[in-house]
């Protein structure tokens, strides 16, 4: 079983819609959770981090964490074409980061 | 500005050749990491180091070697033993091992001639 699993997509949403990205993890001792955005040929950039159960909002982005279900999600409101990228879920177990394979998102103008 | 510098951006390897990827950071971070990314795949950990003169194998260390002689520098050598080296290589750092944020360099695309 992979440490971190994501639906690889591709996920397509119209401009202005809400994009919902999901991630599950297997290690219950995982302590912190991250979403990175990666454009083709570029390095990942951190867009959200979350450490406790519940929601965390930052602009158009909302991260949701449910440790009991070992589930973390990212909502992107008012999606823009510039949001088209691959989104990587990452989990920190305390001494190592584990990454999912990423979900490819396309926002259609 | 502080950050992580990787070089070169593109690198070509001939069969049987060792090549070295450079990674330098001026963030004063203790921990540094090397990841490999294949098309459509997530990041896989090759090696990591939490302090100078110490490093540990990650999940896919075979065919690679590293050194950590200075806090700022963590070069990765792709040896001839790595039979499928074509990939995007990312160097990253964090304040210490297991702390929250990873900062990434811009990456090196390695291809085989």
């Amino acid at each position: 079983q992979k440490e971190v699993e994501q639906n690889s997509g591709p996920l397509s949403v119209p401009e202005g819609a809400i994009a919902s990205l999901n991630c599950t993890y297997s290690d219950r001792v995982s302590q912190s959770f991250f979403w990175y955005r990666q454009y083709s040929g570029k390095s990942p950039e951190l867009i959200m981090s979350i450490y406790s159960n519940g929601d965390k909002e930052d602009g158009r982005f909302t991260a949701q964490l449910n440790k009991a279900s070992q589930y973390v999600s990212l909502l992107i409101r008012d999606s823009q074409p510039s949001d088209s990228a691959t989104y990587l879920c990452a989990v920190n177990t305390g001494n190592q980061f584990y990454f999912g394979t990423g979900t490819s998102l396309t926002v259609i103008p | 500005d502080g950050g992580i510098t990787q070089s070169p951006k593109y690198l070509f390897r001939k069969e049987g050749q060792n090549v070295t990827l450079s990674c330098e950071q001026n963030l004063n971070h203790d921990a540094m990491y090397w990841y490999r990314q294949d098309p459509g795949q997530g990041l896989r950990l090759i090696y990591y180091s939490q302090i100078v003169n110490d490093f540990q194998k990650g999940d896919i260390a075979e065919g690679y070697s590293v050194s950590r002689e200075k806090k700022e520098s963590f070069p990765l050598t792709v040896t001839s033993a790595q039979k499928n080296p074509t990939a995007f290589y990312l160097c990253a750092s964090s304040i210490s091992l297991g702390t929250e944020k990873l900062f990434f360099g811009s990456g090196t695309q390695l291809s085989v001639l």
Side-chain angles (χ1 to χ4, degrees), chain A residues 2 8 31-32 34 36 38 41-46 49 51 88 92 94-102, chain B residues 9 33 35 37 40-43 45 48 58-59 88 90 94 97-107:
Chain A
K2 294 183 179 179
S8 61
Q31 299 178 357
S32 47
F34 308 90
Y36 286 84
Q38 187 177 26
K42 304 295 185 183
S43 60
E45 56 177 320
L46 180 68
S49 57
Y51 309 101
L88 300 171
N92 187 331
N95 61 4
Q96 194 171 146
F97 292 86
Y98 292 94
F99 287 82
T101 55
Chain B
K9 186 173 178 65
Y33 314 77
Y35 289 92
Q37 187 176 34
Q41 301 295 314
L43 278 63
L45 183 63
Y48 63 97
D59 299 320
F88 189 50
L90 286 159
S94 61
L97 195 67
T99 56
E100 37 184 89
K101 296 177 185 177
L102 277 181
F103 294 79
F104 285 93
S106 57

Side-chain angles (χ1 to χ4, degrees), chain B residues 45-63:
Chain B
L45 183 63
I46 304 172
Y47 269 99
Y48 63 97
S49 168
Q50 59 180 321
I51 198 169
V52 173
N53 292 324
D54 182 66
F55 47 83
Q56 305 296 326
K57 292 181 179 180
D59 299 320
I60 55 165
E62 185 174 351

Side-chain angles (χ1 to χ4, degrees), chain A residues 4 6 15 31 54 58-59 62 80 88 109:
Chain A
V4 179
Q6 295 180 251
E15 184 174 356
Q31 299 178 357
D58 184 0
T62 298
Q80 301 297 308
L88 300 171

Side-chain angles (χ1 to χ4, degrees), chain A residues 14-27:
Chain A
E15 184 174 356
I18 295 176
S20 177
L21 307 167
N22 304 313
C23 173
T24 58
Y25 61 94
S26 60
D27 193 337

Side-chain angles (χ1 to χ4, degrees), chain B residues 8-110:
Chain B
K9 186 173 178 65
Y10 299 98
L11 185 59
F12 297 91
R13 192 192 89 167
K14 295 179 182 179
E15 191 167 342
Q17 184 183 40
N18 293 351
V19 293
T20 298
L21 285 61
S22 172
C23 179
E24 303 278 335
Q25 55 101 354
N26 60 3
L27 300 167
N28 199 33
H29 286 174
D30 284 323
M32 298 187 74
Y33 314 77
W34 275 104
Y35 289 92
R36 169 178 171 144
Q37 187 176 34
D38 293 280
Q41 301 295 314
L43 278 63
R44 292 186 290 167
L45 183 63
I46 304 172
Y47 269 99
Y48 63 97
S49 168
Q50 59 180 321
I51 198 169
V52 173
N53 292 324
D54 182 66
F55 47 83
Q56 305 296 326
K57 292 181 179 180
D59 299 320
I60 55 165
E62 185 174 351
Y64 301 96
S65 65
V66 294
S67 63
R68 187 89 185 275
E69 297 177 359
K70 298 186 301 181
K71 185 175 185 177
E72 302 80 15
S73 179
F74 192 41
L76 173 74
T77 296
V78 183
T79 74
S80 57
Q82 173 49 247
K83 298 306 180 186
N84 184 24
T86 298
F88 189 50
Y89 290 86
L90 286 159
C91 179
S93 71
S94 61
I95 294 173
S96 62
L97 195 67
T99 56
E100 37 184 89
K101 296 177 185 177
L102 277 181
F103 294 79
F104 285 93
S106 57
T108 294
Q109 176 63 51
L110 175 62

